[in-house]
Amino acid sequence: MGLLNSILKFFLEQRLSEIERFKNNPHEVQHLVFKKLLSDAQNTEWGKKYGYKDNLTVKEFQSRVPVSTYEKLFPYIERMLKGENNILWGSKIEWFSKSSGTTNDRSKFIPVSYESLQECHNKCGKDVLTLLIQNHPDTKVFDGKSLSIGGTHYPNPYNPETRVGDVSAIFVQNIPAWAEFVRAPSREIFLLDKWEEKIERMVETTMNENITSLSGVPTWMVVVLQRLLEKTGKSNILEVWPNLEVFLHGAVSFVPYKELFKKLIPSSDFHYIELYNASEGFFGVQDLPNNDEMLLMLDHGVFYEFIPLEELDNEHPQAVTLEQVELNKNYALVISTNAGLWRYLIGDTIKFTNLSPYRIKISGR
């Protein structure tokens, strides 16, 4: 096992005790997240409007603050896009994740704060690796590099001092320095906006690397792997990258791609880890091998609420908190985040498959 692999494993394993804490004390941890969010946003325009300084209880918060769709929050987000500060969140917003709208054809511009980058997106990225180490202590994944694929970012058309783009590009642009040593391709190639050129350069620059893990949306990764086989003339990916161990995937259902990946990577020892990540945050990780449930991540600056589907058509739908959820019942996910999304109806539905600790499955996106 290489020195870097040993050092990074030791560093990441320090997080395990914190993960165990929120698994064992989920309601306490969520309450602390709730209190910190309101405290941090109390002097924003939104926080003043809804009296965040009043030391609100969760019930008071739910009665004062409406459940919001993107369309309802957009007037505030538009002002942030144009450069106004202290609207929904206190710190300056320098990044906006652009994603497709779920209720119309417009794109959504989701604010991404420094806090959400550090305490949600980056933190969960490290948590994925921490849980991999816990489940597979002999992993040598850090002896090589992780191949990731994603989108790009560009100047914000409303305010060129800030930037917009795919959340994967924002994540790569802001990852800690140590992570650059264990990922591929280079940031320059990853952020290319021309898809065909990006694929070609990814394949050319990594085909002779020691790639030990893959990360990305299955639809995009398939294209890279198929082009790799065309370029090298090999029959499967393990002939190119024999030390490949794991694929971290998310954003779309993996079910339609499962058999294809088994053909591309024909190994019973290869691992697949599902992630529940979105422009709005990083919410869940498949924490057990051979189990398609995901652990709900409770200390990432996101306060969760859940609306039973039968409530969604009501003018004022009643949301429940973590303490009140039931197994195998469909809920619309509502989030309040450290980027200023307040009681935001994300558009996804989930089911709880376990209540101690809280594990979920995505039932609709």
Side-chain angles (χ1 to χ4, degrees), residues 258-272:
K258 193 170 184 178
E259 292 305 315
L260 176 56
F261 270 87
K262 285 183 177 180
K263 291 179 181 178
L264 290 168
I265 307 169
S267 170
S268 58
D269 295 326
F270 189 76
H271 313 303
Y272 297 92

Side-chain angles (χ1 to χ4, degrees), residues 29-283:
V29 169
Q30 271 286 277
H31 182 72
L32 291 173
V33 169
F34 170 75
K35 288 297 185 182
K36 187 173 192 315
L37 287 174
L38 268 60
S39 174
D40 288 350
Q42 63 182 340
N43 292 316
T44 63
E45 181 177 312
W46 183 276
K48 291 177 180 177
K49 179 179 179 179
Y50 291 107
Y52 282 9
K53 280 189 175 180
D54 295 344
N55 195 26
L56 302 180
T57 66
V58 172
K59 286 187 177 180
E60 290 170 334
F61 173 72
Q62 291 175 325
S63 66
R64 288 190 188 187
V65 182
V67 172
S68 292
T69 61
Y70 179 77
E71 285 71 23
K72 290 179 181 177
L73 280 184
F74 182 70
Y76 296 91
I77 293 175
E78 185 177 32
R79 292 167 58 194
M80 296 162 72
L81 281 163
K82 292 178 178 178
E84 289 192 53
N85 295 316
N86 215 37
I87 304 300
L88 294 172
W89 190 248
S91 63
K92 183 180 179 181
I93 305 296
E94 298 182 342
W95 295 93
F96 294 85
S97 177
K98 185 179 180 182
S99 63
S100 299
T102 55
T103 57
N104 55 45
D105 292 331
R106 290 191 309 147
S107 293
K108 297 190 294 183
F109 293 89
I110 304 298
V112 182
S113 67
Y114 172 83
E115 291 83 359
S116 66
L117 275 170
Q118 299 303 317
E119 298 168 19
C120 186
H121 293 282
N122 283 346
K123 189 175 186 178
C124 205
K126 289 184 283 189
D127 286 352
V128 173
L129 299 175
T130 299
L131 292 167
L132 172 68
I133 292 167
Q134 183 182 45
N135 291 324
H136 306 286
D138 296 330
T139 181
K140 297 180 181 178
V141 71
F142 300 118
D143 282 342
K145 292 186 176 182
S146 173
L147 176 72
S148 58
I149 182 169
T152 189
H153 60 72
Y154 48 87
N156 172 6
Y158 294 88
N159 173 19
E161 293 184 1
T162 59
R163 299 187 73 82
V164 302
D166 187 86
V167 70
S168 62
I170 296 172
F171 175 77
V172 164
Q173 187 68 53
N174 291 278
I175 58 174
W178 65 265
E180 276 297 308
F181 289 103
V182 291
R183 60 165 300 278
S186 68
R187 187 177 292 172
E188 173 197 358
I189 294 173
F190 184 99
L191 295 175
L192 286 171
D193 58 353
K194 294 181 180 178
W195 178 251
E196 292 80 8
E197 180 186 359
K198 177 184 290 194
I199 298 301
E200 287 300 309
R201 292 188 64 184
M202 282 185 69
V203 169
E204 289 170 1
T205 58
T206 62
M207 57 194 296
N208 295 315
E209 290 267 18
N210 179 26
I211 301 298
T212 52
S213 67
L214 307 173
S215 177
V217 180
T219 46
W220 296 352
M221 189 58 69
V222 162
V223 176
V224 174
L225 298 184
Q226 290 178 332
R227 180 60 185 141
L228 179 70
L229 294 183
E230 291 174 2
K231 192 86 172 176
T232 60
K234 303 296 185 181
S235 60
N236 68 70
I237 300 302
L238 295 178
E239 292 181 3
V240 184
W241 297 323
N243 298 316
L244 194 63
E245 288 188 31
V246 62
F247 177 32
L248 314 173
H249 60 88
V252 300
S253 171
F254 190 60
V255 174
Y257 302 94
K258 193 170 184 178
E259 292 305 315
L260 176 56
F261 270 87
K262 285 183 177 180
K263 291 179 181 178
L264 290 168
I265 307 169
S267 170
S268 58
D269 295 326
F270 189 76
H271 313 303
Y272 297 92
I273 299 178
E274 184 176 6
L275 316 176
Y276 184 9
N277 58 319
S279 297
E280 294 85 353
F282 212 139
F283 311 126

